[in-house]
Amino acid sequence: MMLWRSVVGKLWITILLLVSFVLFVLTILMLEFIENYHVDEAEKELTQLANKVSVILESHEDQALARSIAWELVDELTNIVIVEDDSTYWISPLEDENIPHFDLEAIRKDPELSVVLDENRRVSKRTIISEDETRKMNGEDEVLVVGVPYQITDDKDGAVYISQSLLAVHETTKHTTKYILLAAGIAIILTTVFAFFLSTRITYPLRKMREAAQELARGKFDKKVPILSHDEIGELGIAFNQMGRQLKFHINALSQEKEHLTSILSSMADGVITLNIDGTILVTNPPAERFLQAWYYEQGMKVEIGEELPPDAQELFGRVVNTEKEQIIEIMLQGRSWVLVMSPLYNQSYVRGAVAVLRDMTEERRLDKLRKDFIANVSHELRTPIAMLQGYSEAIIDDIASSDEEKKEISQIIYDESLRMGRLVNDLLDLARMEAGHISLTYDEILIPEFMEKINRKFQGLAKEKQISLQISMNLEEPQFNLDPDGIEQVLTNLIDNAIRHTSVNGLVKFNVQSVEKGLKFNVQDSGSGIPEDDLPFVFERFYKADKARTRGRSGTGLGLAIAKNIVDAHKGTITVHSKVDEGTTFSFYIPRKKLESDRI
């Protein structure tokens, strides 16, 4: 754990910040005081010195002697400039060239210092006269200048300027700062020792409790906190250990009850959805998840809050809560028929939600419908070619065709219809053999990209002829896969041919393959007319056609999807369909990876 997240770290940082803030404020105030004090003292001394020099100059007739006396009064940090007029002035000798000094030109450039010459008044000013920017910023060339007037004659006045470098003041400030920093370092060390001393006395038991709490959060309820003292922290440790024992008991009881309930829900063939009083979903089981996924797909996977259930189910929930009685309804969703029985759930005396039991009645409804439609479908498929064979045969027998070309045309039609009946019979035989379990697959290790390109080239001509865009995409982890290439090609051929036949001009057909866990997933998607919701459960049945008009040329025999389903089932895979009317259809099938003989142990 990072130091600043612990109690010790927070205590340490708090004391450090407090000490640092106090030292900082004291440093600023002390340095300001020391600097102002020294500057004020220096100003008084320079003023006195300037007055002495002016008196010496006024009282001596020998000005050269007076100036030499003035030069003797200054030290190495002090500089004197004696000005009679703008053209006559004297500067004291310089003992150190590094000490800042100034001349008459610098005085005239400064309007405040010029007041001594112009208005015969005393002035005092701190200024920097260096041209070196680095020295300016460091304050090395800062000086204190004092100017006083003196009388040369009755009608003529001069000025004495004395400047002193503040380097000594700055050095004093630096030394003071060093001592303060040393004191701050000692304070920080003492603070650190004090904070970590507290850690051994106070925070050590707290850290042990934190470790025990983390172990409890991981489910290790046997963790105990050591009792090191009998004060408030010790009592807290005792209470913590008691809490751990109680948690272990209650969690075990809850886990057993949850496992029992989960086992019951998971093993149920019917779906179960538990709803809160506000309509939010609390608990579901796998069959109920399939029901909800179908609803989410219908909504484009964009389900708003409060719309987790279909409107009919929401209305049923409202009636159950209001009437506090069991309600029942049948819902059609993505072609599947669900019977929903919903009952209220009580929390003592008031309703706290509802439980819905869903039963998938699609198979029962499908069998009822197939029993009604199968004979009609078979009769229709066989009656059309037989009627055409019979009609054109009678035309030949009755000698209606007068020319050889007409007879040849009629014979061609009879031949085409006989081929169609042959294909129908062969498809029926193949389908019967597959459903009887006699289908034989020839597995081969193939390159999926080459296989998909072959399928793509096969349908490009037909797609261009119908002005349909055919797109292919692949997302593979490994290019090779073990499957029956002829069977999968037949499945893709049926699906892509159906997609092209039911897609209008300028439409789009996409098919892709992607690697998924332990297999491959193929998708064929079109932007065609779609399949009505009532027909979705029956598209893989024999002779079933969503096209009720059964127009020739667009509708097939109705066996292609049934054959495709049997081929996929033979690969131990699954095939599904999702569709919306006027928006398109998506067929998806999954082929699991077949374990090779060399992989077996």
Side-chain angles (χ1 to χ4, degrees):
M1 183 184 65
M2 307 185 82
L3 182 61
W4 53 82
R5 292 185 180 178
S6 66
V7 175
V8 179
K10 292 177 181 178
L11 179 63
W12 179 47
I13 292 174
T14 302
I15 297 176
L16 283 182
L17 290 176
L18 180 61
V19 171
S20 300
F21 177 75
V22 172
L23 288 177
F24 176 76
V25 173
L26 288 177
T27 301
I28 298 298
L29 295 177
M30 186 179 296
L31 292 178
E32 188 70 19
F33 170 76
I34 292 173
E35 185 172 353
N36 291 336
Y37 174 77
H38 285 288
V39 170
D40 290 342
E41 291 297 320
E43 184 179 352
K44 291 178 181 178
E45 292 178 0
L46 291 182
T47 303
Q48 292 175 359
L49 181 58
N51 290 330
K52 287 181 181 180
V53 173
S54 65
V55 170
I56 292 172
L57 292 175
E58 290 175 352
S59 61
H60 284 73
E61 295 182 0
D62 187 351
Q63 291 295 305
L65 177 61
R67 288 192 295 271
S68 64
I69 295 173
W71 304 155
E72 294 296 330
L73 295 177
V74 298
D75 55 19
E76 67 275 6
L77 297 177
T78 308
N79 182 27
I80 298 178
V81 177
I82 300 173
V83 182
E84 283 191 1
D85 52 40
D86 289 341
S87 60
T88 304
Y89 66 94
W90 295 269
I91 301 176
S92 62
L94 298 175
E95 297 183 9
D96 188 352
E97 293 293 335
N98 294 323
I99 299 301
H101 60 280
F102 68 118
D103 52 17
L104 182 60
E105 182 181 358
I107 294 173
R108 280 302 184 184
K109 287 182 179 179
D110 192 321
E112 294 184 25
L113 297 178
S114 299
V115 170
V116 181
L117 293 171
D118 297 337
E119 300 179 9
N120 203 25
R121 287 193 295 111
R122 185 180 68 84
V123 297
S124 176
K125 181 181 180 181
R126 293 173 63 175
T127 184
I128 297 176
I129 59 177
S130 174
E131 298 296 332
D132 189 342
E133 294 295 330
T134 303
R135 295 174 67 87
K136 277 186 178 182
M137 294 180 63
N138 295 334
E140 296 179 13
D141 288 344
E142 187 179 16
V143 296
L144 175 63
V145 181
V146 174
V148 297
Y150 79 96
Q151 187 175 13
I152 300 174
T153 61
D154 292 337
D155 57 352
K156 183 178 181 181
D157 294 322
V160 176
Y161 292 92
I162 300 180
S163 66
Q164 188 178 64
S165 174
L166 295 179
L167 184 60
V169 177
H170 293 158
E171 289 295 328
T172 302
T173 303
K174 290 180 181 179
H175 286 297
T176 305
T177 304
K178 289 180 181 179
Y179 287 123
I180 293 175
L181 291 178
L182 178 61
I186 295 174
I188 290 173
I189 293 174
L190 293 176
T191 302
T192 303
V193 173
F194 174 70
F196 284 96
F197 172 75
L198 286 180
S199 70
T200 61
R201 306 293 297 175
I202 297 176
T203 62
Y204 176 76
L206 296 179
R207 288 202 302 269
K208 289 298 182 181
M209 289 184 190
R210 183 205 64 200
E211 294 172 0
Q214 291 175 344
E215 294 294 327
L216 287 179
R218 298 188 187 101
K220 298 179 181 179
F221 300 102
D222 295 328
K223 183 68 175 179
K224 301 292 184 181
V225 176
I227 308 301
L228 303 178
S229 61
H230 298 285
D231 53 8
E232 291 83 352
I233 295 179
E235 294 176 358
L236 178 61
I238 295 173
F240 188 90
N241 292 335
Q242 292 176 349
M243 180 189 68
R245 289 192 294 270
Q246 290 295 322
L247 276 175
K248 181 179 180 180
F249 174 77
H250 291 299
I251 291 296
N252 288 337
L254 288 174
S255 298
Q256 292 176 1
E257 184 177 351
K258 182 180 179 181
E259 290 175 1
H260 183 62
L261 179 60
T262 302
S263 299
I264 294 175
L265 288 175
S266 300
S267 60
M268 289 180 63
D270 296 336
V272 176
I273 300 176
T274 303
L275 302 171
N276 202 355
I277 189 64
D278 58 357
T280 56
I281 298 175
L282 299 178
V283 179
T284 60
N285 67 342
E289 290 291 339
R290 292 194 292 271
F291 170 80
L292 295 175
Q293 287 297 324
W295 165 245
Y296 295 160
Y297 176 82
E298 275 199 355
Q299 301 303 306
M301 306 308 291
K302 296 180 180 179
V303 179
E304 302 292 336
I305 298 177
E307 298 180 0
E308 292 86 355
L309 292 175
D312 294 340
Q314 292 282 4
E315 182 181 352
L316 186 70
F317 173 74
R319 292 205 303 269
V320 169
V321 173
N322 293 330
T323 62
E324 299 186 11
K325 294 182 180 179
E326 181 180 283
Q327 303 288 336
I328 186 171
I329 193 175
E330 185 167 351
I331 299 176
M332 290 297 297
L333 200 60
Q334 281 291 294
R336 303 196 70 81
S337 177
W338 298 84
V339 174
L340 192 152
V341 180
M342 191 175 294
S343 303
L345 284 176
Y346 291 93
N347 187 358
Q348 295 180 353
S349 60
Y350 61 90
V351 176
R352 66 177 181 86
V355 59
V357 178
L358 300 116
R359 173 163 294 181
D360 189 353
M361 300 295 292
T362 306
E363 187 64 21
E364 287 79 358
R365 302 291 185 265
R366 184 181 67 84
L367 292 176
D368 290 341
K369 185 173 180 62
L370 288 178
R371 279 195 294 269
K372 297 176 183 178
D373 296 345
F374 181 73
I375 296 177
N377 290 334
V378 174
S379 300
H380 182 88
E381 292 295 335
L382 294 176
R383 181 177 61 185
T384 302
I386 290 175
M388 295 187 68
L389 289 173
Q390 181 179 355
Y392 284 107
S393 298
E394 290 177 353
I396 295 176
I397 293 174
D398 294 340
D399 204 16
I400 295 176
S402 58
S403 63
D404 293 338
E405 292 182 358
E406 292 179 350
K407 291 180 180 180
K408 186 175 181 180
E409 182 180 356
I410 292 174
S411 300
Q412 184 64 41
I413 294 174
I414 294 174
Y415 176 72
D416 292 340
E417 292 299 321
S418 64
L419 290 178
R420 183 183 175 200
M421 288 188 64
R423 289 194 300 271
L424 178 61
V425 172
N426 288 333
D427 288 344
L428 282 172
L429 291 175
D430 291 340
L431 188 58
R433 187 167 58 253
M434 292 177 184
E435 292 181 346
H438 299 307
I439 182 174
S440 59
L441 300 178
T442 304
Y443 280 90
D444 192 11
E445 192 82 15
I446 66 169
L447 291 172
I448 298 299
E450 295 181 0
F451 177 74
M452 295 296 288
E453 286 296 334
K454 175 184 175 183
I455 302 296
N456 185 36
R457 291 193 300 270
K458 182 177 180 180
F459 286 97
Q460 282 295 339
L462 179 61
K464 290 180 180 179
E465 179 183 342
K466 294 197 172 186
Q467 300 181 18
I468 293 173
S469 175
L470 184 63
Q471 298 179 1
I472 180 175
S473 62
M474 288 173 278
N475 184 12
L476 302 171
E477 295 180 358
E478 298 179 3
Q480 294 184 337
F481 197 82
N482 194 31
L483 48 74
D484 180 10
D486 293 335
I488 299 302
E489 181 177 353
Q490 185 176 359
V491 173
L492 287 172
T493 299
N494 286 335
L495 295 180
I496 297 174
D497 181 67
N498 283 345
I500 293 176
R501 283 193 290 111
H502 291 85
T503 301
S504 57
V505 176
N506 297 325
L508 174 64
V509 173
K510 298 189 294 185
F511 67 101
N512 74 297
V513 58
Q514 59 181 345
S515 296
V516 295
E517 184 179 1
K518 298 181 181 180
L520 288 180
K521 185 177 181 181
F522 296 82
N523 293 296
V524 178
Q525 181 181 359
D526 63 67
S527 60
S529 56
I531 302 173
E533 184 177 342
D534 294 340
D535 294 320
L536 282 175
F538 312 104
V539 294
F540 296 110
E541 300 298 332
R542 291 175 294 177
F543 296 111
Y544 193 85
K545 299 181 183 180
D547 179 17
K548 300 300 187 292
R550 301 179 182 270
T551 56
R552 297 184 63 193
R554 184 181 181 188
S555 180
T557 63
L559 297 175
L561 292 179
I563 294 173
K565 184 178 185 302
N566 278 275
I567 293 174
V568 173
D569 290 342
H571 281 81
K572 308 299 182 184
T574 56
I575 184 169
T576 57
V577 58
H578 294 286
S579 181
K580 291 183 181 179
V581 177
D582 298 328
E583 292 187 18
T585 304
T586 301
F587 281 91
S588 303
F589 64 94
Y590 163 74
I591 303 297
R593 184 178 297 278
K594 180 177 174 61
K595 195 171 186 179
L596 301 178
E597 293 295 334
S598 59
D599 298 334
R600 296 177 183 173
I601 299 176

